Structures are given as structure tokens and as C-alpha cells.
Amino acid sequence: MKIIKHSFDGVIVGAGGAGLRAAIEAAPHMKLAVITKLYPTRSHTGAAQGGMSAALANVEEDNWNWHAFDTVKGSDYLADQPAVDILCKEAIDAVIELEHWGLPFSRLENGKIAQRRFGGHTVKEGEAPAFRACYAADRTGHMILQTLYQKCVSMGVEFFDEFQVLDIKIEDGVCKGVIAFELSTGDIHIFETRAVTFATGGFGKIFKVSSNAHSLTGDGPGILYQKGIPLEDMEFYQFHPTGIYRLGILLSEAARGEGGILRNKDGERFMERYAPSIKDLAPRDMVSRAIATEISKGNGAGPQNDYVYLDLTHLGAETINKKLPDITDFVRTYVKIEPINEPIPVQPTAHYAMGGIPTDVNGRVLSDEKNTILPGVYAAGEAACVSVHGANRLGTNSLLDIMVFGKRAGQSMLEYVSKTKASSISDSSSDDLVKKINNLIEKEHTDEFSVGRIRNDLQESMEKNTKIFRTEETLSEQTKILEDLRERYENVTIFDKGKVFNTELMETIELDYLLDMSESTVASALARKESRGAHSRQDFPERDDAEWMKHSFAFKNGNSATLRYKDVELGKYEPMERTY
Ligand SMILES: Cc1cc2nc3c(=O)[nH]c(=O)nc-3n(C[C@H](O)[C@H](O)[C@H](O)COP(=O)(O)OP(=O)(O)OC[C@H]3O[C@@H](n4cnc5c(N)ncnc54)[C@H](O)[C@@H]3O)c2cc1C
């Protein structure tokens, strides 16, 4: 195994929307590397479909305060309101900036950027659904990613494509660098650097039915968690109401934004009963619970009564082909039905991590619940928890989050680098990692302890015990299962002993993070004895503001987590009952 050393002022880990946006900020003023395990334009941001919200008021009256109100209410009052204000205020410039960089937004007749409806976004604090999501057909994320990447290329940003970061070196509380594995050669690269931004995306692969790409395994949060950095609000994981039945492939909320309707087996528009005013456009946590409730009452469709229908048939071919071309093609390809004429079988799918690496509004990583800053380490995007999404994210607010807080993380990195001297990292800093890899390769392979089996059992059990509804019983059962999986993981073996694109080796290391993400999720969920946003405890069905209006911080403690808490930062919106 060759060991190669590099020296940079700053390193960004991840080339999705958050990483690229941070790079655009930092690159002109420092020697910067962007390290990414995927080729940049394969990042999950490119799979985002429906839109990015900003109160541009292109279709109707709107303002960022209404956007902030919706975001806070959507979060079930767990979001930090000063951070939400920043998100919604800076949204407008973020969209215009993308437009100026060449993003081909869909347009209105008058040439302005088109906007559509999305779940939980309203005008006048709940009066009616708002036209706030800016979009490029149903390929908004694809367009954002391409636009940002082309901007980075034009700026000469240095990329290390298909390099997987496996470790960070922090000495005396100061960042010294990161260690990466080059996928095509199996070589190890030591990156000496003063500042690192983690923009590694989510971890939806802890569940079996998920909209997330195979690569979303929580690497950034996992690497830091193993170094003693806590993870914030891990019990809040979002299930998107409309995944393709069994496959989990996402059918964007834009489908309902354009007028799509959810129906149960009798054809009833059941959301009228659960959210009488905004119906199918209620926030995701509520719609997912409504679907799960319909299914448990026997109102689900199909031979096993385990799905509902997303009905687009009344929209007409023109709207479908123009505004929802990609997702309807997924349906034709994977379900073999024609969505213009037939309703689509859907079920909730694991989608988005509200929790993650705790940061302040400038992307600076916090090492505890007292807001202690970890010098030189930053995080942005889905890997981070600012927290602007609280207990439940509104659709279109994540593409916005990666733009607003990606930029801020890049700026913070720059500020830090300009104030600190270069430091050095020792040649032996990769020794532990090399030893770990060699151990994995040398161990004889057995089927019983294969990565695939352990991961499959993890995903199935998380799906069963921790999905939309949870109880003390299911979470305790999952705690035991995780202990057992951890024990099996200690003996994990791999079949591929090669150096070239040894994806099995990388998946083995990713499984460690998936276990960490699951352990912290389950421990945080077991402790939180209330229901709020996406965390729904059947044994504690009410929201309990007196006791639980606080963020949880999970610190790794062996194979479990120790929990501490931090108060939510309130603002102008008083917590109220969350009806729609
Ligand atoms: C199907 C789908 C549709 C969506 N639609 C919308 C939408 O319409 N609107 C909206 O607001 N949100 C949407 N979302 C959510 C949103 O797209 C994501 O939350 C957001 O794009 C995440 O961006 P990111 O930059 O944080 O991470 P990602 O885009 O996931 O990028 C992660 C990057 O990290 C790199 N990486 C990871 N681990 C390592 C490692 N160990 N070493 C090196 N590199 C690493 C990867 O190579 C990749 O470049 C959608 C999500 C999905 C899954």
C-alpha cells in the first residue's frame, strides 16, 4: 500500500451541493482540495427532483417571514428560529445567484422563474398553499449540481475524485488533516490541512426502503462521532410519503404540488380527514403517518393492503410530460404502468436526516451541547444539523440549506485559514488506518460474517422497529438487535482481497458508520418520551414542550450513546398546536 502526502490550506469532503457551494466561496483565496468518493456529478444532490424554495413572489404575494413561519411550524417548533430566519432571508439571493450562474430554471409566461406548491409551504401563516418552490422540471437537483460543478471547474478547483476519506486527525483539539483511500489503486493519501468541511450527505441506508443512494452511509458524521463529537437530533429521521411501492424510489412531492392526490383502496382522498385545509400538501411527517394509519386500519390497497395510490390521472398528459417527466418515467420503467392513465402504488420511504453533525449558523462544528467550537472543522448540508429543520424538514428546504449554509461554511473556513498558521501532520498518522485495512484483508472470508448479510439485517430491523411509529418495546428490541449486529461486525470478513476498486472493503468501513448512525438514532429515540415531527412514539403520543423542547446530543459511548440536551433557540413564533 503506497502512502502519499499532500498539503493544502483547506479540504472539503464531499462534492454534492453543499461541498461545491463551500468550494466556490473558499477556492479563490486558498489552496483548496475537494475530496469525493463519488465522481462529483453523481452526488445525491443530482437526484433531487421537486424544487428549492425562496419567497420570490413571482406567482403571488409572498415574503420570507411566511417562509420562516412555515419552516418553524413544519419543524414542530424544534428548529432554532434565528437560523431559520437566515435560511429564509438568504434564500432569495441564493436562487438569483444560481440563475446568474446559468441554472436553467423552468419559467413563467412572463419570463420569471416559475414557482410551484409544496408540502407545508403556505401564504399568510397557513391560509393556503404557497407557490414558493423554484424548479427545473423535476430535475432541480441535477441542474443545481451541474451548475455548481461547472462553476468550480471554471474556477480551477482541485478535485480528488473517487477518493474516500476514512479518518480525521485532531491533535490537542486542533485539526491537522484527513486520511483518504484512493479507490482505483488502494493507495492511502494523507492530506495535511488546517481546515476541513464535511459535506458528506445523509445516511438513509440505515433503512431498507429508502430514497437514498447506496453511497449515503453517514461517513462524515461517523468519522467525527468516533472522535467524540456528538450527533444532534438523531431521533428525527424523515420518511417521505411517496416512494414507489417496495422499491422506495422517490416520487417528488412536486407531484402533489402540481395537483396529485393520495387515495386509499376505496379511492377515498383520505388526506381530507387528516389535514382538512391543505390536504395532500400537509408536511411529510403528517402525510406519512396518515398513510401508515390507513394501512394499519386495512384501508391499504393491493393483495396485502400495504400501499396507497398517488393519483395523477386527472392532471393530463401535457402537465405530466412537461412538469414531471423524470418521475413518471421511473414509474413506467420500474412499475410498468402508465401514470397518465393509472394511479401509482406508493408507500413511505426513508428520505432525509434532520439530525447530524452539530454546527452553528456559520458551519462551525460544535463539540458539545454548550456550543464549544471545534477549531478548523466545519460541516454543511445533510451531514450537518444547524438546526433549521428541527423535527421535520419541509420539502425544498434542503436544496436551500445546502446553498445557504454551504456558502457560510466556505466563508468560515476561509476566515479561519487566513488567521492561522499552517501546521504539520506526521507521516505515521495513517498507521492506524493501514493496520485496520490490513486486518480486514488478511482475515479469512466466511459467509456468515459477510458485509452484505450484516447490513441487510441492520436495514431490515431498523425498518421494522424504528420507522414511522415507535414504542419503548420496538426501540428496546432494536437496541438488542444492534448489540448483536455490532458483535457480528467485530468479526466481519471480506471476500475481495484486491487493491483496485475494492468496494467491498469500503462498504465494510461504511457499515461501521451505519451502525453508529443506527445506535445513536435508537438511543436518542428511546430517550425522547414524546411525539414531535418525524419522531412518533405511540406510547407518548403528545408533544411535550415543557419537558422536551430541546435538542438531543448523542455522544458515542462504546456501542451505545450518552445523551445530553440543549435548549431550542426560540424567536418570534410561539409554539402552537400543529394543525393544517
Ligand atoms: C431522491 C431525492 C430527491 C430529493 N429531492 C429534493 C428536492 O426536490 N428538494 C430539496 O430541497 N431536497 C431534496 N432532496 C434532499 C436533498 O437533495 C439532499 O438533502 C441534498 O442534496 C444533500 O446535499 P449534500 O451536498 O449535503 O450531500 P450529497 O449531495 O449527498 O453529496 C455528498 C457528497 O459527499 C461525498 N462523500 C460522502 N462520503 C464521503 C467520504 N467518506 N469521502 C469522500 N467523499 C464522501 C460524496 O461523494 C458526495 O459528493 C432529495 C433527496 C433525494 C434522495
Side-chain angles (χ1 to χ4, degrees):
M1 200 181 282
K2 257 205 290 187
I3 298 179
I4 301 144
K5 204 165 159 187
H6 310 261
S7 187
F8 284 90
D9 296 327
V11 164
I12 293 172
V13 187
L20 295 180
R21 186 62 192 83
I24 291 169
E25 224 46 37
H29 312 285
M30 67 164 91
K31 189 168 179 245
L32 178 80
V34 177
I35 309 177
T36 169
K37 69 178 178 181
L38 302 174
Y39 187 76
T41 51
R42 297 183 72 94
S43 304
H44 192 73
T45 296
Q49 302 167 351
M52 165 175 170
S53 51
L56 299 183
N58 285 355
V59 177
E60 61 185 356
E61 188 189 353
D62 199 3
N63 74 64
W64 71 261
N65 284 296
W66 294 345
H67 185 184
F69 170 87
D70 292 335
T71 301
V72 171
K73 184 174 172 189
S75 83
D76 220 349
Y77 299 92
L78 193 77
D80 288 328
Q81 294 192 26
V84 172
D85 282 352
I86 290 173
L87 179 83
C88 300
K89 208 168 171 180
E90 295 185 5
I92 296 159
D93 284 347
V95 169
I96 304 299
E97 186 174 67
L98 283 169
E99 181 189 39
H100 290 180
W101 290 342
L103 196 149
F105 282 110
S106 294
R107 298 276 164 180
L108 299 169
E109 286 285 312
N110 64 10
K112 289 187 174 176
I113 293 171
Q115 296 191 274
R116 65 175 155 215
R117 292 168 163 166
F118 242 82
H121 289 277
T122 68
V123 286
K124 301 191 179 142
E125 306 193 349
E127 211 171 90
F131 289 85
R132 188 175 291 144
C134 308
Y135 60 96
D138 55 358
R139 314 182 175 113
T140 315
H142 172 87
M143 297 303 185
I144 290 180
L145 196 61
Q146 300 288 331
T147 303
L148 294 176
Y149 186 54
Q150 108 190 333
K151 177 88 182 151
C152 284
V153 170
S154 77
M155 292 168 75
V157 173
E158 195 168 342
F159 283 92
F160 290 83
D161 296 338
E162 299 182 329
F163 277 56
Q164 188 152 343
V165 170
L166 301 178
D167 200 5
I168 182 172
K169 289 288 153 189
I170 300 171
E171 282 169 26
D172 302 324
V174 178
C175 170
K176 296 281 177 183
V178 293
I179 321 283
F181 179 89
E182 185 177 357
L183 295 169
S184 63
T185 60
D187 292 336
I188 294 287
H189 294 253
I190 301 176
F191 289 82
E192 181 173 87
T193 183
R194 278 168 278 171
V196 179
T197 296
F198 283 94
T200 54
F203 48 85
K205 282 294 164 188
I206 61 176
F207 296 101
K208 187 170 175 66
V209 176
S210 169
S211 70
N212 278 201
H214 194 64
S215 59
L216 292 173
T217 47
D219 300 18
I223 289 169
L224 289 175
Y225 188 56
Q226 293 178 4
K227 298 282 173 191
I229 307 304
L231 297 177
E232 184 174 352
D233 290 342
M234 292 297 281
E235 61 273 48
F236 300 104
Y237 197 91
Q238 176 166 85
F239 304 99
H240 191 295
T242 57
I244 293 180
Y245 176 55
R246 289 222 164 112
L247 302 175
I249 296 171
L250 192 77
L251 300 179
S252 170
E253 206 168 88
R256 279 171 287 137
E258 295 294 347
I261 289 172
L262 290 165
R263 297 187 191 281
N264 63 19
K265 73 166 196 280
D266 303 318
E268 187 208 0
R269 185 181 192 179
F270 56 87
M271 281 312 299
E272 285 181 334
R273 282 188 275 118
Y274 296 88
S277 74
I278 58 175
K279 304 183 178 82
D280 301 273
L281 286 174
R284 291 175 179 170
D285 57 333
M286 298 178 82
V287 182
S288 286
R289 273 196 296 278
I291 294 175
T293 306
E294 286 300 294
I295 290 172
S296 70
K297 280 192 195 154
N299 294 336
Q304 287 156 23
N305 298 106
D306 59 350
Y307 58 80
V308 295
Y309 292 113
L310 174 62
D311 184 2
L312 308 180
T313 55
H314 52 289
L315 299 184
E318 198 190 326
T319 300
I320 288 180
N321 293 335
K322 201 166 146 204
K323 296 196 167 161
L324 306 167
D326 275 12
I327 60 165
T328 43
D329 253 2
F330 297 157
V331 176
R332 289 180 196 109
T333 306
Y334 298 107
V335 200
K336 303 270 179 261
I337 65 170
E338 176 48 69
I340 295 174
N341 307 320
E342 282 175 84
I344 311 157
V346 293
Q347 67 177 167
T349 183
H351 185 58
Y352 183 85
M354 269 75 74
I357 306 163
T359 70
D360 68 4
V361 293
N362 294 314
R364 297 183 294 184
V365 170
L366 308 176
S367 59
D368 59 29
E369 76 288 3
K370 299 191 184 87
N371 295 336
T372 308
I373 284 164
L374 179 64
V377 187
Y378 306 87
E382 195 172 333
C385 177
V386 178
S387 130
V388 285
H389 310 303
N392 174 63
R393 170 174 76 82
L394 291 189
T396 69
N397 269 354
S398 174
L399 290 177
L400 176 57
D401 171 356
I402 63 180
M403 294 299 298
V404 168
F405 293 103
K407 177 177 178 178
R408 284 170 162 261
Q411 286 170 342
S412 292
M413 216 173 147
L414 191 57
E415 197 188 310
Y416 180 77
V417 164
S418 65
K419 282 197 312 220
T420 45
K421 285 205 213 76
S423 61
S424 64
I425 189 168
S426 85
D427 291 346
S428 61
S429 55
S430 60
D431 288 1
D432 297 350
L433 183 66
V434 170
K435 201 165 141 203
K436 180 168 159 185
I437 291 176
N438 284 338
N439 282 345
L440 280 170
I441 291 190
E442 280 157 18
K443 223 187 285 173
E444 200 182 325
H445 176 254
T446 59
D447 254 355
E448 191 190 348
F449 294 110
S450 74
V451 188
R453 274 207 185 179
I454 303 174
R455 187 179 52 214
N456 192 50
D457 290 352
L458 171 70
Q459 291 168 336
E460 278 186 359
S461 58
M462 286 295 287
E463 182 86 16
K464 176 167 167 263
N465 290 324
T466 68
K467 219 167 169 174
I468 295 171
F469 290 113
R470 301 149 171 196
T471 61
E472 171 111 31
E473 202 181 331
T474 63
L475 292 166
S476 303
E477 185 185 328
Q478 189 60 20
T479 307
K480 285 204 207 87
I481 293 173
L482 288 174
E483 279 163 15
D484 176 53
L485 289 168
R486 195 42 101 169
E487 235 168 75
R488 283 167 64 194
Y489 182 76
E490 301 303 326
N491 296 311
V492 69
T493 60
I494 56 174
F495 181 76
D496 185 351
K497 309 290 183 191
K499 281 184 180 293
V500 178
F501 282 104
N502 192 338
T503 49
E504 192 187 10
L505 176 63
M506 288 304 105
E507 285 178 18
T508 306
I509 293 175
E510 289 168 351
L511 179 55
D512 195 7
Y513 308 137
L514 289 175
L515 285 164
D516 280 334
M517 297 306 106
S518 307
E519 286 158 3
S520 48
T521 298
V522 172
S524 307
L526 192 55
R528 186 175 284 271
K529 295 186 170 39
E530 66 155 355
S531 290
R532 182 186 296 272
H535 172 67
S536 189
R537 288 278 303 251
Q538 280 170 314
D539 42 356
F540 298 96
E542 301 300 325
R543 189 177 83 199
D544 179 357
D545 287 341
E547 187 60 32
W548 286 104
M549 182 77 102
K550 51 192 184 188
H551 299 289
S552 52
F553 277 60
F555 293 78
K556 188 168 170 70
N557 177 7
N559 296 333
S560 184
T562 300
L563 291 156
R564 296 190 210 151
Y565 293 92
K566 181 175 110 174
D567 284 345
V568 171
E569 280 184 62
L570 295 173
K572 50 187 182 279
Y573 304 115
E574 287 295 323
M576 59 179 204
E577 204 194 336
R578 199 158 152 261
T579 49
Y580 285 91

